[in-house]
Coordinates of all heavy atoms in Angstrom, one line a residue:
S25 N 129.7 84.6 94.5 CA 130.4 84.1 95.8 C 129.3 83.7 96.7 O 128.4 84.4 97.0 CB 131.2 85.3 96.4 OG 132.0 84.8 97.4
F26 N 129.5 82.4 97.2 CA 128.5 81.8 98.1 C 128.9 81.9 99.6 O 130.0 81.6 100.0 CB 128.3 80.3 97.7 CG 127.5 80.1 96.5 CD1 128.0 80.4 95.3 CD2 126.2 79.7 96.7 CE1 127.2 80.2 94.1 CE2 125.4 79.5 95.5 CZ 125.9 79.8 94.3
H27 N 127.9 82.4 100.4 CA 128.2 82.6 101.8 C 126.9 82.1 102.6 O 126.4 82.9 103.5 CB 128.5 84.0 102.1 CG 129.7 84.5 101.4 ND1 131.0 84.2 101.7 CD2 129.8 85.2 100.2 CE1 131.8 84.6 100.9 NE2 131.2 85.3 99.9
V28 N 126.5 80.9 102.4 CA 125.3 80.4 103.0 C 125.6 79.3 104.0 O 126.6 78.7 103.9 CB 124.3 79.8 102.0 CG1 123.8 80.9 101.0 CG2 124.9 78.7 101.2
P29 N 124.8 79.1 105.0 CA 125.0 78.0 105.9 C 124.6 76.7 105.2 O 123.9 76.7 104.2 CB 124.1 78.3 107.1 CG 123.0 79.1 106.5 CD 123.6 79.9 105.4
L30 N 125.0 75.6 105.7 CA 124.6 74.3 105.2 C 123.3 73.8 105.9 O 123.3 73.6 107.1 CB 125.7 73.2 105.4 CG 125.3 71.8 104.9 CD1 125.1 71.8 103.4 CD2 126.4 70.8 105.2
T31 N 122.2 73.7 105.1 CA 121.0 73.3 105.7 C 120.4 72.2 104.7 O 120.5 72.3 103.5 CB 120.0 74.4 105.8 OG1 119.8 75.1 104.5 CG2 120.5 75.5 106.8
Q32 N 119.7 71.3 105.3 CA 119.0 70.2 104.5 C 117.5 70.2 104.7 O 116.8 69.6 103.9 CB 119.6 68.9 104.8 CG 121.1 68.7 104.6 CD 121.6 67.3 104.7 OE1 121.0 66.4 104.1 NE2 122.6 67.1 105.5
R33 N 117.0 71.0 105.6 CA 115.6 71.0 105.9 C 115.1 72.5 105.8 O 115.9 73.4 105.6 CB 115.3 70.5 107.3 CG 115.6 69.0 107.5 CD 115.4 68.6 108.9 NE 116.4 69.2 109.8 CZ 116.5 68.9 111.1 NH1 115.6 68.2 111.7 NH2 117.4 69.5 111.9
G34 N 113.8 72.6 105.9 CA 113.2 74.0 105.8 C 112.9 74.4 104.4 O 113.2 73.7 103.4
P35 N 112.4 75.6 104.2 CA 112.0 76.1 102.9 C 113.2 76.4 101.9 O 113.0 76.5 100.7 CB 111.2 77.3 103.2 CG 111.7 77.8 104.5 CD 112.1 76.6 105.3
W36 N 114.4 76.6 102.5 CA 115.6 77.0 101.6 C 116.8 76.1 101.9 O 117.8 76.6 102.4 CB 115.9 78.4 101.9 CG 114.8 79.4 101.6 CD1 114.2 79.7 100.4 CD2 114.0 80.1 102.6 NE1 113.1 80.6 100.6 CE2 113.0 80.8 102.0 CE3 114.1 80.2 104.0 CZ2 112.1 81.6 102.7 CZ3 113.2 81.0 104.7 CH2 112.2 81.7 104.0
P37 N 116.7 74.8 101.6 CA 117.9 73.9 101.8 C 119.0 74.4 100.9 O 118.8 74.8 99.8 CB 117.3 72.5 101.4 CG 116.2 72.8 100.5 CD 115.6 74.1 101.0
T38 N 120.2 74.3 101.4 CA 121.4 74.7 100.7 C 122.3 73.6 100.2 O 123.2 73.8 99.5 CB 122.2 75.7 101.5 OG1 122.7 75.1 102.7 CG2 121.4 77.0 101.8
R39 N 122.1 72.4 100.7 CA 122.9 71.2 100.2 C 122.7 71.1 98.7 O 121.6 71.0 98.2 CB 122.5 69.9 100.9 CG 123.4 68.8 100.6 CD 123.1 67.5 101.4 NE 124.1 66.5 101.1 CZ 123.9 65.6 100.2 NH1 122.8 65.6 99.4 NH2 124.8 64.6 100.0
H40 N 123.8 71.1 98.0 CA 123.8 71.0 96.5 C 123.0 72.2 95.9 O 122.4 72.0 94.8 CB 123.2 69.7 96.0 CG 124.0 68.5 96.4 ND1 123.7 67.2 96.1 CD2 125.2 68.4 97.1 CE1 124.6 66.3 96.5 NE2 125.5 67.0 97.2
L41 N 123.1 73.3 96.5 CA 122.5 74.5 96.0 C 123.1 74.9 94.6 O 122.4 75.3 93.7 CB 122.7 75.7 97.0 CG 122.1 77.0 96.6 CD1 120.6 76.9 96.6 CD2 122.5 78.1 97.6
I42 N 124.4 74.7 94.5 CA 125.0 74.8 93.2 C 124.9 73.5 92.4 O 125.6 72.6 92.6 CB 126.5 75.2 93.3 CG1 126.8 76.3 94.3 CG2 127.2 75.5 92.0 CD1 128.2 76.6 94.6
D43 N 123.8 73.5 91.6 CA 123.5 72.2 90.9 C 124.0 72.3 89.4 O 124.6 73.3 89.0 CB 122.0 71.9 91.0 CG 121.2 73.0 90.4 OD1 121.7 73.9 89.7 OD2 119.9 73.0 90.7
A44 N 123.7 71.2 88.7 CA 124.2 71.1 87.3 C 123.6 72.2 86.4 O 124.3 72.8 85.6 CB 123.8 69.8 86.8
S45 N 122.4 72.6 86.6 CA 121.8 73.6 85.8 C 122.4 74.9 86.0 O 122.6 75.7 85.1 CB 120.2 73.6 86.0 OG 119.9 74.0 87.3
F46 N 122.7 75.2 87.3 CA 123.4 76.5 87.6 C 124.8 76.6 87.0 O 125.2 77.6 86.4 CB 123.4 76.7 89.1 CG 123.9 78.1 89.5 CD1 123.1 79.2 89.4 CD2 125.2 78.3 90.0 CE1 123.6 80.5 89.7 CE2 125.7 79.6 90.3 CZ 124.8 80.7 90.2
L47 N 125.5 75.5 87.1 CA 126.9 75.5 86.5 C 126.8 75.7 85.0 O 127.6 76.4 84.4 CB 127.6 74.2 86.8 CG 128.2 74.0 88.2 CD1 129.0 72.7 88.3 CD2 129.2 75.2 88.5
K48 N 125.8 75.0 84.4 CA 125.7 75.1 82.9 C 125.3 76.5 82.5 O 125.6 76.9 81.3 CB 124.6 74.2 82.4 CG 125.0 72.7 82.5 CD 123.9 71.8 82.0 CE 124.3 70.3 82.1 NZ 123.2 69.4 81.8
S49 N 124.7 77.3 83.4 CA 124.3 78.7 83.0 C 125.5 79.7 83.1 O 125.4 80.8 82.7 CB 123.3 79.2 84.0 OG 123.8 79.4 85.3
L50 N 126.7 79.2 83.5 CA 127.9 80.0 83.7 C 128.9 79.7 82.6 O 128.9 78.6 82.0 CB 128.5 79.8 85.0 CG 127.6 80.0 86.2 CD1 128.3 79.7 87.5 CD2 127.0 81.4 86.3
S51 N 129.8 80.7 82.3 CA 130.7 80.5 81.2 C 132.1 80.8 81.7 O 132.4 81.1 82.8 CB 130.4 81.5 80.1 OG 130.7 82.9 80.5
A52 N 133.1 80.6 80.7 CA 134.5 80.8 81.0 C 134.8 82.3 81.3 O 136.0 82.6 81.7 CB 135.3 80.3 79.9
N53 N 133.9 83.2 81.1 CA 134.1 84.6 81.4 C 133.7 85.0 82.8 O 133.7 86.1 83.2 CB 133.3 85.5 80.4 CG 133.8 85.3 79.0 OD1 135.0 85.2 78.7 ND2 132.9 85.2 78.0
Q54 N 133.3 84.0 83.6 CA 132.8 84.2 84.9 C 133.6 83.5 86.0 O 134.4 82.6 85.7 CB 131.3 83.8 85.1 CG 130.4 84.7 84.2 CD 129.0 84.1 84.1 OE1 128.8 83.1 83.4 NE2 128.1 84.7 84.8
L55 N 133.5 83.9 87.2 CA 134.2 83.4 88.4 C 133.2 82.9 89.4 O 132.3 83.7 89.8 CB 135.1 84.4 89.0 CG 135.9 84.0 90.2 CD1 136.9 82.9 89.8 CD2 136.7 85.2 90.8
L56 N 133.3 81.7 89.9 CA 132.4 81.1 90.9 C 133.3 80.8 92.1 O 134.3 80.0 92.0 CB 131.7 79.9 90.4 CG 130.8 79.1 91.4 CD1 129.6 80.0 91.8 CD2 130.3 77.8 90.7
I57 N 132.9 81.3 93.3 CA 133.7 81.1 94.5 C 132.8 80.4 95.6 O 131.7 80.9 95.9 CB 134.2 82.4 95.1 CG1 135.0 83.2 94.0 CG2 135.1 82.2 96.3 CD1 135.4 84.6 94.4
N58 N 133.3 79.4 96.2 CA 132.6 78.8 97.4 C 133.6 78.7 98.6 O 134.5 77.9 98.6 CB 132.1 77.4 97.0 CG 131.3 76.8 98.2 OD1 130.9 77.5 99.1 ND2 131.1 75.5 98.2
T59 N 133.3 79.6 99.6 CA 134.0 79.5 100.8 C 133.1 79.2 102.0 O 133.4 79.3 103.2 CB 134.7 80.9 101.1 OG1 133.7 81.9 101.1 CG2 135.7 81.2 100.1

């Protein structure tokens, strides 16, 4: 479950934090939530 602010600058940008490689690492047995 994701609960981060939206940032594009600084050492920890969160825009597109959930990228293709992260999605590929997950399976149909898991749940991904973005609020």
